[in-house]
Amino acid sequence: MGLAGTVGTAGTKVGGQTFCREAASATGASIEIDEGMNGTIVKTVCRSLNRAHRAVAFCFLVLVASVGVALPHQGATGIVKERMDAMKSVAAATKALARLSWSDIPKARQSAAGHARTISAHADEMLALFPAGSAQHPSEAAATIWTRPDAFARLAKAMGTAADDILRASKTATSNADLAPPFKAMSATCASCHSAFRIKK
């Protein structure tokens, strides 16, 4: 299918320029990377009319926008610190996935698998990290975690499922584009969880 004008544009702060360039290359998009005081801004213009390609580009943009977020650990103790450390580990694993270099494919597959296992393991322990009565400062856990436990559990399970799908995809992947579907699912799950179960600052 040929090119036909600008279909859509998006800009987001990211930490993995290589990841974004691969996404653009895989989806028939042009990409412009600007360096600014507030970090790297990636402006992607999707020119392909293929809806699936645009979806892949979108999932990359959503994912990289969510990595590298600093968590407020200052003053945290006990279970609050434990779960903040877990979230930090998930963020680090996600960021590492976003920055994977595929120049050595076997090594990249091994790294992707390891990071996916880390995320999956934290998803499995998620419910145990939020016992009743653990909303003390500096926790950012919203009360909805305890008033809507079933919904919270579903999202934790969905995150683990997406991580497991990344693990499976990593076995045959040759670029970040091959991990796109489970990345899209994971980023959507994270966004939904933060929207519903995290105190908005």
Side-chain angles (χ1 to χ4, degrees), residues 40-158:
T40 302
I41 304 298
V42 174
K43 301 174 182 178
T44 302
V45 183
C46 298
R47 297 184 179 277
S48 171
L49 291 181
N50 187 310
R51 181 175 298 176
H53 283 186
R54 295 202 304 274
V56 170
F58 173 76
C59 90
F60 282 143
L61 289 169
V62 170
L63 179 67
V64 296
S66 69
V67 302
V69 179
L71 297 177
H73 286 208
Q74 187 173 4
T77 59
I79 193 66
V80 173
K81 185 178 187 303
E82 187 176 342
R83 69 184 179 227
M84 284 183 167
D85 287 343
M87 295 300 181
K88 184 177 180 179
S89 178
V90 169
T94 303
K95 190 172 185 177
L97 282 167
R99 289 180 168 179
L100 275 180
S101 169
W102 290 87
S103 58
D104 184 335
I105 290 177
K107 182 178 179 180
R109 287 175 176 172
Q110 185 178 22
S111 295
H115 298 314
R117 290 190 185 98
T118 294
I119 296 169
S120 180
H122 286 307
D124 288 342
E125 68 176 3
M126 193 65 66
L127 299 185
L129 292 174
F130 290 87
S134 63
Q136 62 269 29
H137 181 79
S139 174
E140 292 186 340
T144 46
I145 288 177
W146 297 283
T147 60
R148 298 173 55 200
D150 291 343
F152 182 65
R154 282 194 297 272
L155 287 175
K157 183 178 180 179

